[in-house]
Amino acid sequence: MKNRKKEKIMNCIKNMLHRENIFYIGPKFLGDYGRLDELTYKELKYILGNTKEIIQSDLVAIIDKKARLIAENVYDNGNGNVFFINIFDGTLWTRYFNKEDSKVIRNYYKRAGKKKYIEIKEDLINIINEEKIKRFFNKYVCRKEIQIDDKKYTFNKYKKFRKMFSITPGFGKSWAVKAGYQEAIISIHTLTYYQWIEIR
C-alpha cells in the first residue's frame, strides 16, 4: 500500500514538473526560493518520501511533512520562515519571508486567528511594515521633536503619527522622516487601487 502511495506521488510530481508555477514548501532549499523548474534525482527522492500534501489549482504546491499550516494559504516551512502561496490565482505571486518578518506574521496570526484570510502577499507586507513603523515610533518618535519632509512635529500618539502617511488611492508617495540621528523613508505604494506601506 505504501509503495502504491509513493508511486502515485512520484507520478503526480513528474507530471507536474513541466508546469511553470510549481512550488515546494518545506525546510529543504529546493529551487528558487521554493519555485521548482526541475529536480535532481536526489531532490525527487526526498520529496517522494517527505510530501504530506499536494495542492493543485492555478498553482501547484508540494507541502513537506515538516511544514506547518498557519492559515489557509500561509505556512511555516519548518525552518521558521513563512511561505505565502495563492493557489487560486497564479498572477498573485507567492512570497517567501525571512525569519524576522516571519515572526511578525506568526504573532499577527496568534492575535487574528487562522480564519483571517490573506488574499495577496501585499497584505502580509503591510502587516510587517505597520509593525516596523510602530517600533520606529515607540523608539524614536514618541514625545520627541522630529522632522517629516523638513517640517517639525511632535507626536504623543501613534494614530496621529500614522495618519500623516495617507494618500488618495491610485497614487504613491514618500516621506523623509528624521528623528534625532535616525532617518527613515516611509512610502505608500499602489497596485491597481490597492496600496501598501513600506519603511526603509
Side-chain angles (χ1 to χ4, degrees):
M1 185 66 73
K2 285 185 178 179
N3 287 337
R4 282 185 183 178
K5 186 179 177 182
K6 284 186 177 182
E7 190 177 345
K8 189 177 179 181
I9 291 172
M10 178 177 273
N11 289 334
C12 187
I13 291 169
K14 281 181 176 178
N15 291 335
M16 290 184 304
L17 284 179
H18 70 279
R19 294 179 58 166
E20 288 183 9
N21 294 318
I22 179 169
F23 292 86
Y24 162 78
I25 301 174
K28 287 284 186 180
F29 296 101
L30 300 179
D32 181 16
Y33 289 95
R35 183 188 290 272
L36 303 179
D37 292 323
E38 54 184 54
L39 289 171
T40 64
Y41 175 77
K42 189 176 179 180
E43 290 170 335
L44 183 60
K45 190 176 177 183
Y46 172 83
I47 288 177
L48 173 64
N50 291 276
T51 295
K52 175 172 64 178
E53 184 182 4
I54 296 175
I55 302 171
Q56 295 188 66
S57 187
D58 281 7
L59 301 176
V60 175
I62 298 173
I63 315 298
D64 195 288
K65 290 176 182 176
K66 293 180 181 177
R68 182 174 62 87
L69 183 69
I70 296 175
E72 188 172 346
N73 54 349
V74 181
Y75 292 84
D76 184 308
N77 72 348
N79 276 337
N81 299 98
V82 165
F83 198 105
F84 167 83
I85 184 163
N86 192 318
I87 61 169
F88 304 111
D89 189 341
T91 63
L92 302 176
W93 304 108
T94 62
R95 176 69 181 252
Y96 173 92
F97 292 91
N98 65 35
K99 291 190 177 180
E100 181 188 348
D101 292 347
S102 295
K103 188 176 179 181
V104 173
I105 293 169
R106 283 194 299 274
N107 287 337
Y108 166 79
Y109 275 106
K110 283 178 185 176
R111 298 189 302 268
K114 288 185 178 182
K115 291 182 180 179
K116 180 67 176 175
Y117 179 73
I118 298 294
E119 186 177 356
I120 58 177
K121 67 182 184 299
E122 283 77 16
D123 283 331
L124 289 179
I125 294 169
N126 246 346
I127 289 164
I128 292 162
N129 285 319
E130 290 284 2
E131 181 64 26
K132 287 180 179 178
I133 292 169
K134 281 180 187 175
R135 288 179 192 169
F136 182 81
F137 173 82
N138 291 333
K139 196 169 183 180
Y140 304 113
V141 175
C142 188
R143 297 185 179 89
K144 297 171 185 175
E145 187 176 88
I146 67 162
Q147 289 185 339
I148 301 176
D149 288 342
D150 297 324
K151 292 182 181 179
K152 293 181 179 180
Y153 299 89
T154 303
F155 297 94
N156 295 324
K157 294 183 179 179
Y158 175 72
K159 282 185 179 180
K160 289 186 177 179
F161 175 69
R162 178 62 181 84
K163 198 174 179 180
M164 291 289 299
F165 313 109
S166 57
I167 59 169
T168 304
F171 296 89
K173 189 176 177 181
S174 293
W175 297 262
V177 181
K178 291 182 181 179
Y181 294 106
Q182 298 297 319
E183 296 185 10
I185 302 293
I186 295 178
S187 304
I188 300 284
H189 303 286
T190 61
L191 177 68
T192 55
Y193 298 104
Y194 178 84
Q195 62 183 38
W196 70 97
I197 196 163
E198 177 188 33
I199 181 169
R200 52 188 168 83

